[in-house]
Amino acid sequence: MSTAPLDDVLTTHLHRCGGRCVVPLRGELDTVSGPRVAAALDEVLACPCAGAAVLVDLRAVSFCDLDGLRTLRAARARAAQRGVDLTCEGCSPLLLRVAAIVGCRELLAAQE
């Protein structure tokens, strides 16, 4: 299952792995791409195949601003309303630090 590229800055696709739905993001997650990422994640959450767990893989995200973090936080809240556990993994140490500073560190899984 795939979604179309969001644009030439950010792309995403969907696959299942270990009982959860994985959504890898690639590119920049910011003010411009945030609404499209939110819409794509809402589609995933509405899909019965998503199941009870969705993982947003941020390893290939080259940039994420505060609006990008807000997009992820809002998607997590919408997922929780549907009984879905949405987590984010693979973020850079810099993004972890920024998330801690702005008070949304719980959104991003620690890198071990």
Side-chain angles (χ1 to χ4, degrees), residues 49-80:
C49 67
V54 173
L55 169 67
V56 179
D57 183 349
L58 302 172
R59 285 179 293 174
V61 171
S62 57
F63 174 80
C64 181
D65 68 7
L66 293 178
D67 284 331
L69 286 173
R70 287 185 192 112
T71 296
L72 295 173
R73 178 184 260 178
R76 185 177 190 191
R78 290 190 305 277

Side-chain angles (χ1 to χ4, degrees), residues 1-6 11-14 40 43-44:
M1 179 180 340
S2 295
T3 60
L6 297 172
T11 59
T12 183
H13 65 279
L14 170 69
E43 274 188 47
V44 169

Side-chain angles (χ1 to χ4, degrees), residues 2 9 12-13 18 25 29-30 59 65 69 87 101 107 111:
S2 295
V9 178
T12 183
H13 65 279
L25 300 180
L29 177 52
D30 56 17
R59 285 179 293 174
D65 68 7
L69 286 173
T87 57
I101 290 169
L107 177 64
Q111 305 304 295

Side-chain angles (χ1 to χ4, degrees), residues 11-31:
T11 59
T12 183
H13 65 279
L14 170 69
H15 66 275
R16 303 239 358 124
C17 180
R20 61 185 172 177
C21 188
V22 179
V23 182
L25 300 180
R26 175 181 311 276
E28 297 180 358
L29 177 52
D30 56 17
T31 303

